[in-house]
Amino acid sequence: MADSAIDVRHGSSDLSQKLRALQSLNTRLMCMDIDNLSYQDLVDGVAKVVGCDACALYLHDRTRDELVLEGAAGYEVDERDRRLQLDDASRIHCQVFREEYMVYIPTRDDATGNASFDNRLDSNLVFPIIANQGPVGVFGFGSYVAGAFGPEDVDLCAMLVDQMAYSLENMRLLRELSRSRDAVIRGMALLAESRDKNIGGHLDRICASAKLLAGWLMDRPEYPEITHGFIETIARAAALHDIGKVGIPDRVLLKADKLNEAEFEVMKTHTVIGADLLENLMSAHGSYTMIKMGAEIARAHHEWWDGTGYPLALERNQIPLPARIVAVADVYDALTSKRVYKSAWEHDEAVDSLRAGSGKQFDPALVAIFLSHQDDLQDIRLQYPD
Ligand code: C2E
Ligand code: SIN
Ligand code: SIN
Ligand code: FE
């Protein structure tokens, strides 16, 4: 029974071919981007490896104590398939989840004892997905052919589900970690900014304009380092540029007047304080693309293109690109905002000042990009007002 069934479903029972498919699925699981995680991709990948007619991934929703369909392949999903009450006796999936035990129904005839079993499919194989802390969901394989799953297939499916349990758990942990790190970092940035600014939209505006500027540069051959990943990273890391202001005393930071020379020397240290803080965070908790770029930006966003900025007097391409981008975004926003020491400038005045600083304070290529898209950049303030 099993041998002919394998031929029907796979066209070939070549084990090494299946192992290769399994390997490639594994690689995909490992490389899955936690921010763009798609359970549906996972299910499609599994369906392809196993070559069965139908696959379904259900994960347990703890708050409602239900199984939720996260991905399905090969059959038409019915509204009543989407959420399963755990005590629903008509669904084999619920039994598998509760009892943490695989159920194998070789042919529908064998299941007649279970009269209410979903009868769209002729053979079914449903596994619990068991992570460290217990069952997290179930994965079902189905076929329209009776007796479709031979012992070899049961082993392959069991292996896949084990691998999936491991990957799902890793993804969950990584996502939680990345979310909480983002939240902590953003909280710190807000705290730093809140002392001297109307924080309303300041961070959001800097992030949005840095993201746009990077996006406009992406297709140019001179900027091979700008990828979609770079753009997503700078869109968050830009918020960290002034995080070092946490270390600047109120009498300097909140002075309503012009800073004297000594006070400005103190103020300049916000670059180094911020970069060191982020670098220490990384040495304690492992490198993290966003924090790494944040540290670069914090350290170098007051460097000038002509080498007269601070803290290191770097010039031109010695200044990391993310910092050059944020420098333009930061100064435009600072000029058009009210500060304790200055009133807000009009857009045109700010643009004149950027133009005058091109090749002196700012990377001329970035000023040019800024000028050719000024309307979009000006609109950012409407989106994120103070
Ligand atoms: P910030 O207020 O966020 O300003 C960021 C940058 O925007 C400044 O970097 C400067 O390049 C530009 N900018 C801001 N306002 C003006 C302006 O009125 N004219 C011109 N030409 N550029 C402006 P900078 O100068 O390195 O200052 C870094 C930080 O030091 C400022 O951040 C602010 O927190 C503080 N700061 C600078 N000057 C004064 C001041 O006269 N009084 C006080 N209380 N703080 C100041
Ligand atoms: C289904 O029966 O709903 C799809 C395949 C399975 O989960 O067994
Ligand atoms: C500088 O002001 O020194 C460089 C540009 C900036 O303010 O970010
Ligand atoms: Fe700054």
Side-chain angles (χ1 to χ4, degrees):
M1 160 192 95
D3 286 347
S4 62
I6 289 170
D7 283 337
V8 168
R9 290 181 308 107
H10 302 292
S12 142
S13 61
D14 180 5
L15 186 62
S16 74
Q17 195 181 323
K18 278 193 239 169
L19 284 175
R20 270 200 303 278
L22 179 61
Q23 180 59 43
S24 99
L25 179 72
N26 249 334
T27 311
R28 279 230 302 254
L29 284 174
M30 303 294 194
C31 300
M32 197 121 83
D33 176 351
I34 49 167
D35 293 320
N36 298 307
L37 166 66
S38 156
Y39 293 118
Q40 185 59 48
D41 288 348
L42 185 71
V43 174
D44 289 338
V46 171
K48 225 167 103 193
V49 172
V50 178
C52 59
D53 294 320
C55 276
L57 168 66
Y58 284 91
L59 292 180
H60 184 218
D61 174 346
R62 282 164 205 263
T63 51
R64 298 172 61 169
D65 210 22
E66 290 171 348
L67 290 178
V68 180
L69 185 68
E70 298 287 357
Y75 68 101
E76 201 157 325
V77 174
D78 197 281
E79 229 13 77
R80 69 198 163 90
D81 294 333
R82 294 199 183 279
R83 287 186 164 267
L84 310 180
Q85 302 297 320
L86 276 188
D87 55 5
D88 184 346
S90 72
R91 294 299 183 121
I92 199 84
H93 303 78
C94 300
Q95 181 194 331
V96 167
F97 182 82
R98 286 194 316 264
E99 296 177 7
E100 298 181 31
Y101 208 80
M102 178 260 265
V103 168
Y104 172 32
I105 297 169
T107 74
R108 202 192 319 172
D109 290 345
D110 297 357
T112 44
N114 187 353
S116 52
F117 174 64
D118 183 350
N119 61 6
R120 281 172 296 185
L121 296 159
D122 285 296
S123 38
N124 264 79
L125 195 51
V126 183
F127 291 89
I129 303 174
I130 307 198
N132 287 338
Q133 78 275 29
V136 294
V138 299
F139 201 97
F141 301 89
S143 173
Y144 297 115
V145 178
F149 297 99
E152 199 186 87
D153 298 298
V154 176
D155 288 347
L156 175 68
C157 292
M159 228 154 81
L160 274 174
V161 172
D162 270 353
Q163 181 59 45
M164 210 176 332
Y166 177 78
S167 304
L168 286 173
E169 181 67 3
N170 272 348
M171 287 189 286
R172 191 184 63 79
L173 290 172
L174 276 174
R175 255 198 308 194
E176 236 165 53
L177 198 66
S178 131
R179 266 199 221 119
S180 56
R181 276 200 256 194
D182 282 2
V184 168
I185 297 293
R186 176 135 185 119
M188 281 168 36
L190 278 171
L191 193 71
E193 299 286 334
S194 65
R195 289 168 53 225
D196 70 324
K197 290 174 189 145
N198 307 316
I199 51 164
H202 171 69
L203 288 180
D204 291 323
R205 288 194 301 271
I206 301 269
C207 288
S209 43
K211 183 178 183 179
L212 285 183
L213 287 167
W216 292 319
L217 292 179
M218 181 162 73
D219 299 322
R220 302 200 182 176
E222 313 94 275
Y223 298 95
E225 68 265 57
I226 302 191
T227 59
H228 289 289
F230 178 101
I231 293 173
E232 288 313 311
T233 305
I234 198 171
R236 291 181 294 154
L240 301 173
H241 69 286
D242 270 347
I243 199 164
K245 284 186 178 173
V246 286
I248 305 299
D250 283 352
R251 69 179 163 80
V252 175
L253 186 68
L254 302 182
K255 184 174 178 183
D257 215 335
K258 254 198 115 32
L259 300 179
N260 65 36
E261 210 171 305
E263 289 162 342
F264 196 58
E265 287 308 312
V266 172
M267 177 54 83
K268 285 177 176 178
T269 63
H270 80 276
T271 50
V272 178
I273 293 172
D276 287 353
L277 186 120
L278 295 169
E279 278 163 13
N280 287 334
L281 201 69
M282 279 195 292
S283 62
H285 300 288
S287 180
Y288 183 39
T289 315
M290 201 261 274
I291 300 183
K292 189 158 173 281
M293 190 188 283
E296 265 180 0
I297 291 172
R299 192 179 299 283
H301 72 283
H302 289 293
E303 297 290 356
W304 282 32
W305 183 254
D306 67 6
T308 62
Y310 62 87
L312 295 173
L314 301 177
E315 59 176 1
R316 297 172 170 256
N317 293 338
Q318 291 175 336
I319 309 168
L321 178 62
R324 282 182 270 147
I325 293 174
V326 169
V328 173
D330 179 35
V331 172
Y332 172 76
D333 196 66
L335 293 176
T336 52
S337 299
K338 186 181 163 354
R339 291 280 191 267
V340 286
Y341 63 92
K342 63 176 274 294
S343 55
W345 297 15
E346 291 302 322
H347 169 80
D348 289 339
E349 288 176 276
V351 166
D352 286 344
S353 174
L354 290 185
R355 197 183 278 118
S358 176
K360 287 160 62 186
Q361 185 170 356
F362 309 109
D363 179 343
L366 286 168
V367 175
I369 278 278
F370 190 104
L371 296 177
S372 59
H373 293 90
Q374 355 179 345
D375 294 347
D376 294 319
L377 292 160
Q378 190 177 7
D379 284 349
I380 288 175
R381 184 172 286 274
L382 302 175
Q383 266 171 277
Y384 304 105
D386 278 327

